[in-house]
Amino acid sequence: MQDLAALAEEHLTKARLASHGRSAHLIVHDGALRQSVIALTSGSELDEHNAPLSATLQVLRGHVRLTSNSGNKELRAGDLCEIPKERHGLLALEDSAVLLTAVTAVE
């Protein structure tokens, strides 16, 4: 069992110490299913990248902006949204931690 609050805090601390302002940890890797905690300091971002087959983003702490061609979404702690099936990025509007759940192609 994972303590998401503790993981969020741990990786926010690591992100604050990293020059790029990010820290991530894969917590579930089961076949095509992946779950990761990603922490970003305010102003840090994940550059635009391709979407997995299916994914959701849950904000554990903070405030983020999910960016895509179909429109941006601002999400706060407790929010859960489906990630659009197109290139997208993520910007931290304040120190934030998210849970990314993704289904990828099985290798």
Side-chain angles (χ1 to χ4, degrees):
M1 182 168 66
Q2 300 287 333
D3 181 338
L4 291 177
L7 282 171
E9 187 58 39
E10 174 187 345
H11 287 281
L12 276 170
T13 298
K14 288 180 178 183
R16 290 175 183 128
L17 296 173
S19 61
H20 47 69
R22 299 184 306 269
S23 180
H25 178 70
L26 179 66
I27 56 175
V28 174
H29 181 183
D30 183 10
L33 176 66
R34 309 278 190 281
Q35 284 189 303
S36 300
V37 169
I38 303 168
L40 302 163
T41 57
S42 182
S44 297
E45 63 186 315
L46 297 178
D47 292 332
E48 188 177 277
H49 53 280
N50 292 326
L53 294 176
S54 185
T56 61
L57 189 71
Q58 179 181 0
V59 181
L60 302 173
R61 292 195 44 192
H63 182 194
V64 299
R65 179 179 299 133
L66 180 63
T67 60
S68 70
N69 286 336
S70 61
N72 298 339
K73 295 179 185 175
E74 288 200 14
L75 307 164
R76 296 181 184 274
D79 289 345
L80 171 71
C81 79
E82 184 176 349
I83 293 177
K85 292 174 177 53
E86 62 187 1
R87 290 184 61 79
H88 61 278
L90 186 68
L91 170 67
L93 300 173
E94 60 186 56
D95 288 1
S96 301
V98 299
L99 176 67
L100 171 65
T101 301
V103 175
T104 61
V106 179
E107 299 171 3

